[in-house]
PDB file of all heavy atoms in Angstrom:
ATOM      1  N   LEU A   1       0.858  -1.204  -0.037  1.00  0.00           N
ATOM      2  CA  LEU A   1       0.019  -0.037   0.000  1.00  0.00           C
ATOM      3  C   LEU A   1       0.890   1.224   0.011  1.00  0.00           C
ATOM      4  O   LEU A   1       1.708   1.300   0.814  1.00  0.00           O
ATOM      5  CB  LEU A   1      -0.918   0.035   1.226  1.00  0.00           C
ATOM      6  CG  LEU A   1      -1.540   1.367   1.538  1.00  0.00           C
ATOM      7  CD1 LEU A   1      -2.521   1.761   0.383  1.00  0.00           C
ATOM      8  CD2 LEU A   1      -2.342   1.348   2.917  1.00  0.00           C
ATOM      9  N   VAL A   2       0.661   2.158  -0.926  1.00  0.00           N
ATOM     10  CA  VAL A   2       1.236   3.436  -0.938  1.00  0.00           C
ATOM     11  C   VAL A   2       0.146   4.432  -0.589  1.00  0.00           C
ATOM     12  O   VAL A   2      -0.749   4.747  -1.424  1.00  0.00           O
ATOM     13  CB  VAL A   2       1.907   3.862  -2.177  1.00  0.00           C
ATOM     14  CG1 VAL A   2       2.437   5.351  -2.137  1.00  0.00           C
ATOM     15  CG2 VAL A   2       3.073   2.800  -2.583  1.00  0.00           C
ATOM     16  N   ASN A   3       0.096   4.919   0.683  1.00  0.00           N
ATOM     17  CA  ASN A   3      -0.951   5.772   1.174  1.00  0.00           C
ATOM     18  C   ASN A   3      -0.589   7.195   0.871  1.00  0.00           C
ATOM     19  O   ASN A   3       0.019   7.873   1.502  1.00  0.00           O
ATOM     20  CB  ASN A   3      -0.972   5.618   2.701  1.00  0.00           C
ATOM     21  CG  ASN A   3      -2.411   5.184   3.193  1.00  0.00           C
ATOM     22  OD1 ASN A   3      -3.422   5.429   2.559  1.00  0.00           O
ATOM     23  ND2 ASN A   3      -2.392   4.659   4.479  1.00  0.00           N
ATOM     24  N   ASN A   4      -1.077   7.619  -0.432  1.00  0.00           N
ATOM     25  CA  ASN A   4      -0.528   8.867  -0.950  1.00  0.00           C
ATOM     26  C   ASN A   4      -1.758   9.866  -0.949  1.00  0.00           C
ATOM     27  O   ASN A   4      -1.381  11.171  -1.011  1.00  0.00           O
ATOM     28  CB  ASN A   4       0.032   8.702  -2.386  1.00  0.00           C
ATOM     29  CG  ASN A   4       0.241  10.000  -3.040  1.00  0.00           C
ATOM     30  OD1 ASN A   4       1.123  10.745  -2.744  1.00  0.00           O
ATOM     31  ND2 ASN A   4      -0.628  10.288  -3.927  1.00  0.00           N
ATOM     32  N   ALA A   5      -3.024   9.613  -0.988  1.00  0.00           N
ATOM     33  CA  ALA A   5      -4.124  10.576  -1.123  1.00  0.00           C
ATOM     34  C   ALA A   5      -4.030  11.531  -0.078  1.00  0.00           C
ATOM     35  O   ALA A   5      -3.808  11.309   1.080  1.00  0.00           O
ATOM     36  CB  ALA A   5      -5.522   9.723  -1.207  1.00  0.00           C
ATOM     37  N   GLY A   6      -4.079  12.847  -0.571  1.00  0.00           N
ATOM     38  CA  GLY A   6      -4.099  13.972   0.381  1.00  0.00           C
ATOM     39  C   GLY A   6      -4.376  15.231  -0.236  1.00  0.00           C
ATOM     40  O   GLY A   6      -4.348  15.420  -1.447  1.00  0.00           O
ATOM     41  N   ILE A   7      -5.014  16.161   0.582  1.00  0.00           N
ATOM     42  CA  ILE A   7      -5.451  17.442   0.060  1.00  0.00           C
ATOM     43  C   ILE A   7      -4.735  18.550   0.995  1.00  0.00           C
ATOM     44  O   ILE A   7      -4.335  18.202   2.138  1.00  0.00           O
ATOM     45  CB  ILE A   7      -6.980  17.623   0.076  1.00  0.00           C
ATOM     46  CG1 ILE A   7      -7.482  17.386   1.495  1.00  0.00           C
ATOM     47  CG2 ILE A   7      -7.529  16.688  -0.965  1.00  0.00           C
ATOM     48  CD1 ILE A   7      -8.983  17.684   1.562  1.00  0.00           C
ATOM     49  N   GLY A   8      -4.621  19.733   0.572  1.00  0.00           N
ATOM     50  CA  GLY A   8      -4.018  20.741   1.274  1.00  0.00           C
ATOM     51  C   GLY A   8      -4.904  21.955   1.484  1.00  0.00           C
ATOM     52  O   GLY A   8      -5.907  22.171   0.734  1.00  0.00           O
ATOM     53  N   SER A   9      -4.638  22.678   2.475  1.00  0.00           N
ATOM     54  CA  SER A   9      -5.425  23.907   2.838  1.00  0.00           C
ATOM     55  C   SER A   9      -4.699  24.695   3.730  1.00  0.00           C
ATOM     56  O   SER A   9      -4.075  24.218   4.769  1.00  0.00           O
ATOM     57  CB  SER A   9      -6.761  23.497   3.517  1.00  0.00           C
ATOM     58  OG  SER A   9      -7.507  24.658   3.767  1.00  0.00           O
ATOM     59  N   TRP A  10      -4.488  26.039   3.540  1.00  0.00           N
ATOM     60  CA  TRP A  10      -3.682  26.875   4.266  1.00  0.00           C
ATOM     61  C   TRP A  10      -4.507  28.179   4.694  1.00  0.00           C
ATOM     62  O   TRP A  10      -5.198  28.801   3.700  1.00  0.00           O
ATOM     63  CB  TRP A  10      -2.466  27.339   3.504  1.00  0.00           C
ATOM     64  CG  TRP A  10      -1.422  26.278   3.540  1.00  0.00           C
ATOM     65  CD1 TRP A  10      -0.440  26.146   4.493  1.00  0.00           C
ATOM     66  CD2 TRP A  10      -1.269  25.162   2.661  1.00  0.00           C
ATOM     67  NE1 TRP A  10       0.259  24.929   4.157  1.00  0.00           N
ATOM     68  CE2 TRP A  10      -0.205  24.356   3.096  1.00  0.00           C
ATOM     69  CE3 TRP A  10      -2.055  24.651   1.539  1.00  0.00           C
ATOM     70  CZ2 TRP A  10       0.178  23.245   2.335  1.00  0.00           C
ATOM     71  CZ3 TRP A  10      -1.652  23.627   0.777  1.00  0.00           C
ATOM     72  CH2 TRP A  10      -0.542  22.897   1.324  1.00  0.00           C
ATOM     73  N   ALA A  11      -4.476  28.593   5.899  1.00  0.00           N
ATOM     74  CA  ALA A  11      -5.141  29.779   6.330  1.00  0.00           C
ATOM     75  C   ALA A  11      -4.620  30.145   7.713  1.00  0.00           C
ATOM     76  O   ALA A  11      -4.200  29.211   8.459  1.00  0.00           O
ATOM     77  CB  ALA A  11      -6.591  29.564   6.431  1.00  0.00           C
ATOM     78  N   PRO A  12      -4.594  31.439   8.054  1.00  0.00           N
ATOM     79  CA  PRO A  12      -4.207  31.773   9.528  1.00  0.00           C
ATOM     80  C   PRO A  12      -5.190  31.121  10.453  1.00  0.00           C
ATOM     81  O   PRO A  12      -6.283  30.776  10.146  1.00  0.00           O
ATOM     82  CB  PRO A  12      -4.407  33.329   9.501  1.00  0.00           C
ATOM     83  CG  PRO A  12      -4.419  33.721   8.113  1.00  0.00           C
ATOM     84  CD  PRO A  12      -4.919  32.573   7.269  1.00  0.00           C
ATOM     85  N   LEU A  13      -4.681  30.848  11.733  1.00  0.00           N
ATOM     86  CA  LEU A  13      -5.522  30.275  12.613  1.00  0.00           C
ATOM     87  C   LEU A  13      -6.917  30.951  12.789  1.00  0.00           C
ATOM     88  O   LEU A  13      -7.881  30.289  12.865  1.00  0.00           O
ATOM     89  CB  LEU A  13      -4.810  30.226  14.052  1.00  0.00           C
ATOM     90  CG  LEU A  13      -5.708  29.856  15.261  1.00  0.00           C
ATOM     91  CD1 LEU A  13      -6.112  28.363  15.075  1.00  0.00           C
ATOM     92  CD2 LEU A  13      -4.845  30.077  16.426  1.00  0.00           C
ATOM     93  N   VAL A  14      -6.903  32.251  12.824  1.00  0.00           N
ATOM     94  CA  VAL A  14      -8.096  33.002  13.131  1.00  0.00           C
ATOM     95  C   VAL A  14      -9.154  32.918  12.027  1.00  0.00           C
ATOM     96  O   VAL A  14     -10.302  33.279  12.153  1.00  0.00           O
ATOM     97  CB  VAL A  14      -7.912  34.489  13.445  1.00  0.00           C
ATOM     98  CG1 VAL A  14      -7.053  34.557  14.766  1.00  0.00           C
ATOM     99  CG2 VAL A  14      -7.056  35.187  12.351  1.00  0.00           C
ATOM    100  N   GLU A  15      -8.603  32.362  10.840  1.00  0.00           N
ATOM    101  CA  GLU A  15      -9.570  32.174   9.652  1.00  0.00           C
ATOM    102  C   GLU A  15      -9.850  30.706   9.367  1.00  0.00           C
ATOM    103  O   GLU A  15     -10.544  30.435   8.399  1.00  0.00           O
ATOM    104  CB  GLU A  15      -8.968  32.931   8.451  1.00  0.00           C
ATOM    105  CG  GLU A  15      -8.838  34.387   8.593  1.00  0.00           C
ATOM    106  CD  GLU A  15      -8.044  34.997   7.470  1.00  0.00           C
ATOM    107  OE1 GLU A  15      -7.851  34.417   6.449  1.00  0.00           O
ATOM    108  OE2 GLU A  15      -7.561  36.238   7.616  1.00  0.00           O
ATOM    109  N   THR A  16      -9.274  29.841  10.114  1.00  0.00           N
ATOM    110  CA  THR A  16      -9.494  28.400   9.804  1.00  0.00           C
ATOM    111  C   THR A  16     -10.874  27.949  10.209  1.00  0.00           C
ATOM    112  O   THR A  16     -11.220  28.133  11.455  1.00  0.00           O
ATOM    113  CB  THR A  16      -8.406  27.554  10.537  1.00  0.00           C
ATOM    114  OG1 THR A  16      -7.151  28.009  10.030  1.00  0.00           O
ATOM    115  CG2 THR A  16      -8.595  26.091  10.210  1.00  0.00           C
ATOM    116  N   THR A  17     -11.609  27.404   9.389  1.00  0.00           N
ATOM    117  CA  THR A  17     -13.027  26.916   9.796  1.00  0.00           C
ATOM    118  C   THR A  17     -13.045  25.608  10.169  1.00  0.00           C
ATOM    119  O   THR A  17     -12.212  24.792   9.840  1.00  0.00           O
ATOM    120  CB  THR A  17     -13.928  27.213   8.607  1.00  0.00           C
ATOM    121  OG1 THR A  17     -13.655  26.216   7.614  1.00  0.00           O
ATOM    122  CG2 THR A  17     -13.851  28.615   8.085  1.00  0.00           C
ATOM    123  N   ALA A  18     -14.046  25.269  10.988  1.00  0.00           N
ATOM    124  CA  ALA A  18     -14.218  23.802  11.368  1.00  0.00           C
ATOM    125  C   ALA A  18     -14.506  22.936  10.311  1.00  0.00           C
ATOM    126  O   ALA A  18     -13.983  21.788  10.154  1.00  0.00           O
ATOM    127  CB  ALA A  18     -15.398  23.701  12.399  1.00  0.00           C
ATOM    128  N   GLY A  19     -15.148  23.383   9.315  1.00  0.00           N
ATOM    129  CA  GLY A  19     -15.555  22.679   8.097  1.00  0.00           C
ATOM    130  C   GLY A  19     -14.292  22.284   7.255  1.00  0.00           C
ATOM    131  O   GLY A  19     -14.043  21.213   6.828  1.00  0.00           O
ATOM    132  N   GLU A  20     -13.366  23.343   7.128  1.00  0.00           N
ATOM    133  CA  GLU A  20     -12.129  22.979   6.373  1.00  0.00           C
ATOM    134  C   GLU A  20     -11.179  22.141   7.174  1.00  0.00           C
ATOM    135  O   GLU A  20     -10.534  21.297   6.525  1.00  0.00           O
ATOM    136  CB  GLU A  20     -11.428  24.404   6.059  1.00  0.00           C
ATOM    137  CG  GLU A  20     -10.201  24.297   5.028  1.00  0.00           C
ATOM    138  CD  GLU A  20     -10.772  23.850   3.658  1.00  0.00           C
ATOM    139  OE1 GLU A  20     -11.916  23.691   3.445  1.00  0.00           O
ATOM    140  OE2 GLU A  20      -9.871  23.741   2.887  1.00  0.00           O
ATOM    141  N   MET A  21     -11.106  22.289   8.459  1.00  0.00           N
ATOM    142  CA  MET A  21     -10.318  21.354   9.258  1.00  0.00           C
ATOM    143  C   MET A  21     -10.800  19.949   9.203  1.00  0.00           C
ATOM    144  O   MET A  21      -9.931  18.945   8.851  1.00  0.00           O
ATOM    145  CB  MET A  21     -10.398  21.884  10.788  1.00  0.00           C
ATOM    146  CG  MET A  21      -9.419  21.141  11.640  1.00  0.00           C
ATOM    147  SD  MET A  21      -7.767  21.827  11.550  1.00  0.00           S
ATOM    148  CE  MET A  21      -6.877  21.016  12.813  1.00  0.00           C
ATOM    149  N   ARG A  22     -12.126  19.647   9.109  1.00  0.00           N
ATOM    150  CA  ARG A  22     -12.690  18.291   9.018  1.00  0.00           C
ATOM    151  C   ARG A  22     -12.378  17.803   7.672  1.00  0.00           C
ATOM    152  O   ARG A  22     -12.043  16.680   7.443  1.00  0.00           O
ATOM    153  CB  ARG A  22     -14.152  18.451   9.179  1.00  0.00           C
ATOM    154  CG  ARG A  22     -14.598  18.588  10.656  1.00  0.00           C
ATOM    155  CD  ARG A  22     -16.033  18.367  10.795  1.00  0.00           C
ATOM    156  NE  ARG A  22     -16.438  18.767  12.288  1.00  0.00           N
ATOM    157  CZ  ARG A  22     -17.053  19.890  12.556  1.00  0.00           C
ATOM    158  NH1 ARG A  22     -17.327  20.753  11.554  1.00  0.00           N
ATOM    159  NH2 ARG A  22     -17.359  20.130  13.796  1.00  0.00           N
ATOM    160  N   ARG A  23     -12.569  18.671   6.603  1.00  0.00           N
ATOM    161  CA  ARG A  23     -12.261  18.191   5.207  1.00  0.00           C
ATOM    162  C   ARG A  23     -10.922  17.638   5.031  1.00  0.00           C
ATOM    163  O   ARG A  23     -10.613  16.632   4.465  1.00  0.00           O
ATOM    164  CB  ARG A  23     -12.583  19.299   4.181  1.00  0.00           C
ATOM    165  CG  ARG A  23     -12.493  18.953   2.795  1.00  0.00           C
ATOM    166  CD  ARG A  23     -12.841  20.131   1.803  1.00  0.00           C
ATOM    167  NE  ARG A  23     -11.594  21.064   1.775  1.00  0.00           N
ATOM    168  CZ  ARG A  23     -10.740  20.907   0.823  1.00  0.00           C
ATOM    169  NH1 ARG A  23     -10.720  20.031  -0.071  1.00  0.00           N
ATOM    170  NH2 ARG A  23      -9.644  21.894   0.841  1.00  0.00           N
ATOM    171  N   VAL A  24      -9.884  18.407   5.526  1.00  0.00           N
ATOM    172  CA  VAL A  24      -8.446  17.942   5.364  1.00  0.00           C
ATOM    173  C   VAL A  24      -8.253  16.744   6.158  1.00  0.00           C
ATOM    174  O   VAL A  24      -7.636  15.783   5.729  1.00  0.00           O
ATOM    175  CB  VAL A  24      -7.548  19.119   5.805  1.00  0.00           C
ATOM    176  CG1 VAL A  24      -6.037  18.648   5.877  1.00  0.00           C
ATOM    177  CG2 VAL A  24      -7.717  20.395   4.831  1.00  0.00           C
ATOM    178  N   TRP A  25      -8.689  16.656   7.408  1.00  0.00           N
ATOM    179  CA  TRP A  25      -8.407  15.521   8.199  1.00  0.00           C
ATOM    180  C   TRP A  25      -9.173  14.285   7.788  1.00  0.00           C
ATOM    181  O   TRP A  25      -8.602  13.157   7.894  1.00  0.00           O
ATOM    182  CB  TRP A  25      -8.824  15.895   9.733  1.00  0.00           C
ATOM    183  CG  TRP A  25      -7.624  16.412  10.464  1.00  0.00           C
ATOM    184  CD1 TRP A  25      -7.042  17.672  10.189  1.00  0.00           C
ATOM    185  CD2 TRP A  25      -6.919  15.876  11.500  1.00  0.00           C
ATOM    186  NE1 TRP A  25      -5.992  17.850  10.995  1.00  0.00           N
ATOM    187  CE2 TRP A  25      -6.021  16.779  11.887  1.00  0.00           C
ATOM    188  CE3 TRP A  25      -7.077  14.636  12.204  1.00  0.00           C
ATOM    189  CZ2 TRP A  25      -5.038  16.577  12.926  1.00  0.00           C
ATOM    190  CZ3 TRP A  25      -6.210  14.517  13.333  1.00  0.00           C
ATOM    191  CH2 TRP A  25      -5.195  15.383  13.656  1.00  0.00           C
ATOM    192  N   GLU A  26     -10.384  14.420   7.174  1.00  0.00           N
ATOM    193  CA  GLU A  26     -11.099  13.164   6.747  1.00  0.00           C
ATOM    194  C   GLU A  26     -10.300  12.488   5.645  1.00  0.00           C
ATOM    195  O   GLU A  26     -10.400  11.268   5.536  1.00  0.00           O
ATOM    196  CB  GLU A  26     -12.439  13.679   6.306  1.00  0.00           C
ATOM    197  CG  GLU A  26     -13.446  13.767   7.439  1.00  0.00           C
ATOM    198  CD  GLU A  26     -14.833  14.382   7.010  1.00  0.00           C
ATOM    199  OE1 GLU A  26     -15.130  14.422   5.746  1.00  0.00           O
ATOM    200  OE2 GLU A  26     -15.768  14.439   7.872  1.00  0.00           O
ATOM    201  N   THR A  27      -9.679  13.258   4.786  1.00  0.00           N
ATOM    202  CA  THR A  27      -8.890  12.634   3.735  1.00  0.00           C
ATOM    203  C   THR A  27      -7.461  12.227   4.198  1.00  0.00           C
ATOM    204  O   THR A  27      -7.017  11.101   4.116  1.00  0.00           O
ATOM    205  CB  THR A  27      -8.694  13.607   2.530  1.00  0.00           C
ATOM    206  OG1 THR A  27      -9.859  13.839   1.944  1.00  0.00           O
ATOM    207  CG2 THR A  27      -7.681  12.980   1.465  1.00  0.00           C
ATOM    208  N   ASN A  28      -6.775  13.212   4.841  1.00  0.00           N
ATOM    209  CA  ASN A  28      -5.374  13.040   5.055  1.00  0.00           C
ATOM    210  C   ASN A  28      -5.126  12.007   6.362  1.00  0.00           C
ATOM    211  O   ASN A  28      -4.097  11.395   6.419  1.00  0.00           O
ATOM    212  CB  ASN A  28      -4.640  14.332   5.462  1.00  0.00           C
ATOM    213  CG  ASN A  28      -4.651  15.186   4.212  1.00  0.00           C
ATOM    214  OD1 ASN A  28      -5.184  14.944   3.114  1.00  0.00           O
ATOM    215  ND2 ASN A  28      -3.971  16.367   4.195  1.00  0.00           N
ATOM    216  N   VAL A  29      -5.985  12.099   7.243  1.00  0.00           N
ATOM    217  CA  VAL A  29      -5.817  11.186   8.476  1.00  0.00           C
ATOM    218  C   VAL A  29      -6.812  10.120   8.520  1.00  0.00           C
ATOM    219  O   VAL A  29      -6.419   8.920   8.547  1.00  0.00           O
ATOM    220  CB  VAL A  29      -6.064  12.092   9.730  1.00  0.00           C
ATOM    221  CG1 VAL A  29      -5.763  11.312  10.988  1.00  0.00           C
ATOM    222  CG2 VAL A  29      -5.129  13.222   9.692  1.00  0.00           C
ATOM    223  N   LEU A  30      -8.013  10.285   8.520  1.00  0.00           N
ATOM    224  CA  LEU A  30      -9.158   9.342   8.572  1.00  0.00           C
ATOM    225  C   LEU A  30      -8.934   8.412   7.328  1.00  0.00           C
ATOM    226  O   LEU A  30      -8.963   7.150   7.406  1.00  0.00           O
ATOM    227  CB  LEU A  30     -10.509   9.836   8.651  1.00  0.00           C
ATOM    228  CG  LEU A  30     -11.663   8.830   8.518  1.00  0.00           C
ATOM    229  CD1 LEU A  30     -11.601   7.831   9.706  1.00  0.00           C
ATOM    230  CD2 LEU A  30     -12.969   9.496   8.417  1.00  0.00           C
ATOM    231  N   GLY A  31      -8.846   9.022   6.157  1.00  0.00           N
ATOM    232  CA  GLY A  31      -8.716   8.200   4.879  1.00  0.00           C
ATOM    233  C   GLY A  31      -7.410   7.251   4.926  1.00  0.00           C
ATOM    234  O   GLY A  31      -7.528   6.148   4.519  1.00  0.00           O
ATOM    235  N   ALA A  32      -6.355   7.839   5.354  1.00  0.00           N
ATOM    236  CA  ALA A  32      -5.069   6.978   5.426  1.00  0.00           C
ATOM    237  C   ALA A  32      -5.278   5.861   6.430  1.00  0.00           C
ATOM    238  O   ALA A  32      -4.901   4.749   6.175  1.00  0.00           O
ATOM    239  CB  ALA A  32      -3.980   7.817   5.936  1.00  0.00           C
ATOM    240  N   MET A  33      -5.966   6.085   7.554  1.00  0.00           N
ATOM    241  CA  MET A  33      -6.272   5.106   8.536  1.00  0.00           C
ATOM    242  C   MET A  33      -7.157   3.978   7.909  1.00  0.00           C
ATOM    243  O   MET A  33      -6.946   2.777   8.119  1.00  0.00           O
ATOM    244  CB  MET A  33      -6.823   5.593   9.832  1.00  0.00           C
ATOM    245  CG  MET A  33      -7.052   4.590  10.864  1.00  0.00           C
ATOM    246  SD  MET A  33      -8.520   3.546  10.686  1.00  0.00           S
ATOM    247  CE  MET A  33      -9.963   4.722  11.086  1.00  0.00           C
ATOM    248  N   LEU A  34      -8.206   4.356   7.246  1.00  0.00           N
ATOM    249  CA  LEU A  34      -9.176   3.414   6.727  1.00  0.00           C
ATOM    250  C   LEU A  34      -8.495   2.419   5.723  1.00  0.00           C
ATOM    251  O   LEU A  34      -8.765   1.242   5.786  1.00  0.00           O
ATOM    252  CB  LEU A  34     -10.346   4.078   6.056  1.00  0.00           C
ATOM    253  CG  LEU A  34     -11.287   4.860   7.059  1.00  0.00           C
ATOM    254  CD1 LEU A  34     -12.328   5.584   6.293  1.00  0.00           C
ATOM    255  CD2 LEU A  34     -11.998   3.894   8.036  1.00  0.00           C
ATOM    256  N   VAL A  35      -7.732   3.054   4.796  1.00  0.00           N
ATOM    257  CA  VAL A  35      -7.046   2.201   3.870  1.00  0.00           C
ATOM    258  C   VAL A  35      -5.998   1.292   4.367  1.00  0.00           C
ATOM    259  O   VAL A  35      -5.833   0.132   4.073  1.00  0.00           O
ATOM    260  CB  VAL A  35      -6.478   3.078   2.664  1.00  0.00           C
ATOM    261  CG1 VAL A  35      -6.002   2.170   1.580  1.00  0.00           C
ATOM    262  CG2 VAL A  35      -7.503   3.984   2.055  1.00  0.00           C
ATOM    263  N   ALA A  36      -5.234   1.901   5.411  1.00  0.00           N
ATOM    264  CA  ALA A  36      -4.203   1.040   6.030  1.00  0.00           C
ATOM    265  C   ALA A  36      -4.861  -0.099   6.767  1.00  0.00           C
ATOM    266  O   ALA A  36      -4.373  -1.210   6.811  1.00  0.00           O
ATOM    267  CB  ALA A  36      -3.369   1.962   6.936  1.00  0.00           C
ATOM    268  N   ARG A  37      -5.964   0.195   7.563  1.00  0.00           N
ATOM    269  CA  ARG A  37      -6.607  -0.816   8.316  1.00  0.00           C
ATOM    270  C   ARG A  37      -7.136  -1.972   7.360  1.00  0.00           C
ATOM    271  O   ARG A  37      -6.857  -3.185   7.807  1.00  0.00           O
ATOM    272  CB  ARG A  37      -7.778  -0.203   9.102  1.00  0.00           C
ATOM    273  CG  ARG A  37      -8.502  -1.194  10.036  1.00  0.00           C
ATOM    274  CD  ARG A  37      -9.806  -0.567  10.554  1.00  0.00           C
ATOM    275  NE  ARG A  37     -10.810  -0.247   9.600  1.00  0.00           N
ATOM    276  CZ  ARG A  37     -11.986   0.266   9.985  1.00  0.00           C
ATOM    277  NH1 ARG A  37     -12.224   0.708  11.171  1.00  0.00           N
ATOM    278  NH2 ARG A  37     -12.915   0.355   8.923  1.00  0.00           N
TER     279      ARG A  37
END
């Protein structure tokens, strides 16, 4: 398995939204875990 799927997003802390944080983590972290599992 080459766990490569990922997306990027950049913003200052005071402009980072909960939705964008979830979107990035769902692919980069949860997605990596699901495929590895």
Side-chain angles (χ1 to χ4, degrees):
L1 165 63
V2 180
N3 234 342
N4 168 75
I7 57 176
S9 178
W10 284 266
L13 170 61
V14 296
E15 297 174 14
T16 299
T17 66
E20 192 64 3
M21 191 80 174
R22 289 190 187 98
R23 186 180 76 92
V24 172
W25 272 64
E26 283 179 357
T27 294
N28 296 7
V29 182
L30 176 62
M33 184 281 289
L34 290 174
V35 183
R37 186 185 66 181

